[in-house]
Amino acid sequence: MQPNDPVVRLISEFSKLPGVGEKTAMRLAYYVLRTDAHDIQQLTEALTAAKERVRFCEECFTFTELSPCQTCTSPSRNRLLVCVIEKPADLMAIENSQRFTGQYHVLHGVLSPLDGIGPDQLRIRELIARIAKNQIQEVILALNPTVEGEATGVYLTKLLSPLGVTVTKIAHGIPVGGVLEYIDRQTIGRALENRVASKF
Amino acid sequence: MQPNDPVVRLISEFSKLPGVGEKTAMRLAYYVLRTDAHDIQQLTEALTAAKERVRFCEECFTFTELSPCQTCTSPSRNRLLVCVIEKPADLMAIENSQRFTGQYHVLHGVLSPLDGIGPDQLRIRELIARIAKNQIQEVILALNPTVEGEATGVYLTKLLSPLGVTVTKIAHGIPVGGVLEYIDRQTIGRALENRVASKF
């Protein structure tokens, strides 16, 4: 088959998705070809809508259609309590635990000097501004227990503690080396309840 | 988040793909959101093009943009030798072995009475017509070594042998219970070489 063949092209596009190898891409492409055109149209529309309509929340920097997002504007959520996370997927993981009623702040990464990611590449300046503006009382660090995540936690604790805000981190209970977005909701709920003062 | 939220909708659409669970769908959705819009546009265009431009080949019933397909019209391929396969994905698996220079015939399934799939639901009538029209000398059955695949092979051998065509099947060497589209090219090449007369 030629490279501009639609089937080859579809397989090639699927292969670019994370965790999708050549065999899986082929399986997905043949699924698409034998599935009702309407269903595939719904998928392409969902893809286009997500790219066109979803932006960053101006408050917490998660993905949202309306900025500020629902979580930031909800009157039932505690505005004095902010949970700091690495990426938007972690927000959904924590929401699924149904144990957190505060707000979020998405850093969009962790400190990683080898990859050129310093404080200026993360949403740290915006977090400090938000703490002052909303008179936030407690910041819960819900970062992954990796070397970079721990280092980012220590950095933020040093940076935020002088501002008069209590800095806590979610409890161990999450297996070290695990990845937050894949942990079950019960474990995440326990980790939120058992948060301890962050020391340096 | 609400059900009509674009992110929730995208996760839901990804979940409908085969082998994609909730966690994988979430991971794919967040990949889409943080990836360059141009790349995602290429994916949606590939999906749309595949659905709009790909049809069944009128000869062999594989997926193709032009009917008859490249394999059916190629002057360098042996028109007297036809390999019968269950689905288009198997064609690409066999082509990758680079050991087959004949043509294909896609059944689009195997006999499965419990699922209501009889001979009329498969492209068997078209195969018989093709054998007569093209004076095909040998039909190689390259069906999966499942109960249904074996039964379909026996059925086709009984049906086709009286037509004066040699019916062979690809050699065992493919692990029993395995699925053709996932087998490595060397094993598939060996199985093609070692084909034996199909008995009933």
Side-chain angles (χ1 to χ4, degrees), chain A:
Chain A
M1 294 200 189
Q2 290 165 343
N4 62 352
D5 178 284
V7 182
V8 174
R9 196 177 137 211
L10 183 57
I11 292 171
S12 150
E13 289 299 328
F14 272 131
S15 301
K16 293 178 188 167
L17 297 176
V20 176
E22 200 195 337
K23 297 272 184 196
T24 305
M26 208 188 275
R27 194 158 46 87
L28 289 172
Y30 285 115
Y31 167 83
V32 166
L33 290 168
R34 67 172 192 269
T35 298
D36 189 65
H38 175 71
D39 289 348
I40 302 307
Q41 200 188 331
Q42 288 206 310
L43 171 61
T44 57
E45 282 173 5
L47 282 161
T48 306
K51 289 309 283 184
E52 280 176 0
R53 287 160 51 193
V54 176
R55 67 198 77 184
F56 289 136
C57 170
E58 65 201 68
E59 279 285 313
C60 73
F61 300 97
T62 190
F63 292 122
T64 181
E65 196 175 355
L66 286 172
S67 178
C69 73
Q70 261 192 329
T71 314
C72 285
T73 53
S74 168
S76 64
R77 299 194 75 110
N78 184 352
R79 299 175 140 268
L80 306 177
L81 182 63
V82 167
C83 182
V84 172
I85 52 179
E86 291 178 21
K87 54 190 184 299
D90 299 334
L91 187 156
M92 204 172 277
I94 292 176
E95 282 297 283
N96 280 341
S97 81
Q98 300 181 325
R99 301 281 190 95
F100 183 68
T101 56
Q103 297 188 333
Y104 293 93
H105 192 90
V106 185
L107 293 180
H108 285 279
V110 279
L111 296 174
S112 181
L114 290 177
D115 302 317
I117 300 176
D120 290 344
Q121 277 70 51
L122 306 176
R123 298 291 186 172
I124 292 175
R125 203 178 300 120
E126 292 85 346
L127 174 60
I128 292 169
R130 214 175 150 196
I131 289 170
K133 190 184 73 172
N134 295 356
Q135 297 175 303
I136 289 165
Q137 292 178 348
E138 182 177 350
V139 168
I140 304 176
L141 303 174
L143 306 172
N144 283 307
T146 58
V147 174
E148 291 85 2
E150 297 283 359
T152 307
V154 171
Y155 175 84
L156 287 175
T157 307
K158 279 189 188 173
L159 190 74
L160 303 180
S161 296
L163 305 178
V165 67
T166 304
V167 182
T168 57
K169 58 177 184 178
I170 55 171
H172 277 292
I174 290 171
V176 175
V179 181
L180 199 67
E181 87 183 87
Y182 298 119
I183 305 293
D184 65 277
R185 59 189 74 183
Q186 283 79 10
T187 307
I188 290 178
R190 182 70 60 86
L192 279 166
E193 278 175 353
N194 293 352
R195 64 186 188 267
V196 296
S198 189
K199 300 181 199 77
F200 61 90

Side-chain angles (χ1 to χ4, degrees), chain B residues 10-127:
Chain B
L10 183 57
I11 293 171
S12 150
E13 289 299 328
F14 271 132
S15 301
K16 293 178 188 167
L17 297 176
V20 176
E22 200 195 336
K23 298 271 184 198
T24 305
M26 209 187 278
R27 193 158 45 86
L28 289 172
Y30 285 115
Y31 167 82
V32 166
L33 290 168
R34 67 172 191 269
T35 298
D36 189 64
H38 175 72
D39 289 349
I40 302 307
Q41 199 189 333
Q42 288 207 310
L43 172 61
T44 58
E45 282 173 6
L47 283 161
T48 307
K51 289 309 283 184
E52 280 176 359
R53 286 160 51 194
V54 176
R55 67 198 77 185
F56 289 135
C57 170
E58 65 201 72
E59 279 285 313
C60 73
F61 300 96
T62 191
F63 292 122
T64 181
E65 195 174 355
L66 286 172
S67 178
C69 73
Q70 260 191 329
T71 313
C72 285
T73 54
S74 167
S76 65
R77 299 193 76 110
N78 184 353
R79 299 175 139 267
L80 307 177
L81 182 64
V82 167
C83 183
V84 172
I85 51 179
E86 291 178 22
K87 55 189 184 300
D90 299 334
L91 187 156
M92 205 172 278
I94 291 176
E95 281 298 282
N96 281 340
S97 81
Q98 301 181 323
R99 301 281 190 94
F100 183 68
T101 55
Q103 296 188 334
Y104 293 93
H105 192 89
V106 184
L107 293 180
H108 285 279
V110 279
L111 297 173
S112 181
L114 290 176
D115 302 317
I117 301 175
D120 291 343
Q121 278 70 51
L122 306 177
R123 298 290 187 173
I124 292 175
R125 203 179 300 121
E126 291 86 346
L127 174 61

